[in-house]
Amino acid sequence: MQNILSVQSLTKKFDDFTAVKEISFNVEAGSIFAFLGPNGAGKSTTIKMLTTVLKPTSGEISINGFNALKEQDKARASFGIVFQDSSLDEELTAYENIVYHAVIYKVPKKERDERIRKALEIVGLWNRREDYVKNYSGGMKRRLEIARALVHYPKILFLDEPTVGLDPQTRNSIWDHIKKLNEERNMTIFLTTHYMEEAEAVADQIAIIDHGKIIESGTVEEIKKRTETESLEEAFLKLTGRDIRDDNDSGNKVRTIRGMRRRRTRH
Ligand SMILES: Nc1ncnc2c1ncn2[C@@H]1O[C@H](COP(=O)(O)OP(=O)(O)OP(=O)(O)O)[C@@H](O)[C@H]1O
Ligand SMILES: [Mg+2]
């Protein structure tokens, strides 16, 4: 199988703090890859580097055959991204949010309406397209962000905690949509989640990151076998320990306060 994403010795430093430390991994085209780790492990920082939002301190990234550092436009056209924090414009309608994105991504004008309709239908929001996003529920916003990420037909979709804060019905529905995109369009999915049972149910391959380093990778079965555990959650806890992260992690007060604030706004 061909790799659609290949990462070599990727590192990100914020001043004297190294958030991501020389990580290397490959993602096979057409697979679902779950990138797991405790709070503050370095997942979002990694996704931001993979999607050209953050410049790596060092390392190499190849996406869909393009060098993500030197051929940014081509790399960007190859992926869709749903960030951990919502990035919708609340003052626009759902439809307008997607049009805006389609224009930025240079979707041909004559194809625009049809593609937007399909994307909204996939996540069940076509009938609500004229509603203002500020009147959407949290689950509808998340589904809209997924729809928006699909409009330029990406080969690979990055999802940073797509189901956080959602009820079980909406989470199941989002995973159904994601699996459908993977199976029917052969779209590669790169996701993070803290719901281990969700990762266990959907992922072909898993990598676990902690303190900026990949500490385990493989299929769910391989990881359970190596850790002699019965579930991915058990394996995860065995590998990463039971201490709560952020607060006692680095002794850095600024980071601690930010982490607490973020947790509050997210739930
Ligand atoms: N812009 C920044 N400046 C300084 N430190 C940062 C910055 N962004 C992230 N960090 C730090 O890097 C570390 C990794 O953060 P990151 O957001 O990648 O974690 P994460 O694995 O996504 O965690 P979570 O599960 O809570 O989303 C944390 O200690 C965080 O405080
Ligand atoms: Mg994160």
Side-chain angles (χ1 to χ4, degrees):
M1 264 293 229
Q2 213 188 340
N3 292 324
I4 191 161
L5 174 63
S6 183
V7 174
Q8 292 292 325
S9 297
L10 191 64
T11 295
K12 181 67 191 179
K13 291 186 181 169
F14 296 110
D15 299 323
D16 59 346
F17 173 72
T18 309
V20 175
K21 297 172 190 162
E22 303 220 346
I23 62 169
S24 301
F25 59 88
N26 294 314
V27 175
E28 279 183 6
S31 68
I32 299 185
F33 185 92
F35 195 49
L36 309 176
N39 287 134
K43 302 180 297 297
S44 297
T45 304
T46 301
I47 288 197
K48 285 178 190 161
M49 289 192 280
L50 301 180
T51 56
T52 75
V53 174
L54 265 183
K55 193 171 179 293
T57 306
S58 58
E60 298 291 330
I61 303 164
S62 165
I63 289 191
N64 196 25
F66 302 114
N67 182 324
L69 303 168
K70 295 185 183 139
E71 301 168 283
Q72 289 204 339
D73 287 347
K74 286 177 178 156
R76 282 183 191 137
S78 309
F79 63 75
I81 165 82
V82 175
F83 290 106
Q84 183 167 353
D85 298 315
S86 173
S87 60
L88 294 165
D89 190 329
E90 303 256 332
E91 300 299 325
L92 296 179
T93 66
Y95 197 87
E96 287 165 347
N97 263 280
I98 304 196
V99 170
Y100 185 71
H101 180 91
V103 170
I104 290 174
Y105 276 87
K106 300 190 176 74
V107 173
K109 201 172 175 189
K110 58 179 190 304
E111 287 182 33
R112 217 185 276 160
D113 285 342
E114 178 64 10
R115 287 207 203 184
I116 295 173
R117 186 174 61 78
K118 275 195 190 138
L120 284 170
E121 279 175 357
I122 287 173
V123 297
L125 288 174
W126 175 243
N127 293 334
R128 306 294 296 271
R129 64 191 177 280
E130 298 299 340
D131 289 14
Y132 283 97
V133 170
K134 62 185 169 197
N135 298 329
Y136 265 25
S137 73
M140 290 164 74
K141 285 182 193 170
R142 220 56 188 142
R143 277 148 58 208
L144 179 60
E145 292 199 288
I146 293 172
R148 183 179 61 175
L150 299 176
V151 142
H152 57 288
Y153 289 169
K155 292 242 168 60
I156 175 164
L157 181 60
F158 292 94
L159 301 162
D160 197 352
E161 298 193 35
T163 54
V164 72
L166 303 177
D167 64 33
Q169 292 88 335
T170 310
R171 274 160 43 194
N172 286 338
S173 139
I174 285 183
W175 289 120
D176 286 346
H177 296 317
I178 292 169
K179 273 190 287 189
K180 209 165 119 189
L181 289 167
N182 173 253
E183 281 161 17
E184 292 176 9
R185 294 204 202 173
N186 203 31
M187 194 180 285
T188 309
I189 310 287
F190 182 105
L191 64 95
T192 78
T193 179
H194 289 295
Y195 299 106
M196 293 300 130
E197 69 285 12
E198 293 182 351
E200 187 159 3
V202 300
D204 300 310
Q205 289 286 322
I206 290 192
I208 298 179
I209 183 171
D210 198 10
H211 301 294
K213 283 188 179 161
I214 291 182
I215 55 167
E216 179 62 280
S217 59
T219 63
V220 172
E221 287 312 314
E222 286 165 355
I223 293 175
K224 285 198 285 198
K225 205 168 169 197
R226 274 200 291 272
T227 52
E228 298 176 330
T229 52
E230 299 290 319
S231 69
L232 186 60
E233 177 154 337
E234 254 185 84
F236 181 88
L237 289 170
K238 199 163 178 179
L239 288 162
T240 59
R242 289 179 179 269
D243 292 341
I244 292 176
R245 296 306 167 84
D246 277 345
D247 303 352
N248 58 1
D249 214 8
S250 60
N252 180 329
K253 258 198 168 146
V254 174
R255 261 198 302 280
T256 301
I257 291 162
R258 251 205 7 200
M260 286 162 71
R261 217 185 272 144
R262 187 175 53 184
R263 273 205 299 280
R264 224 179 291 139
T265 53
R266 265 167 55 194
H267 297 293

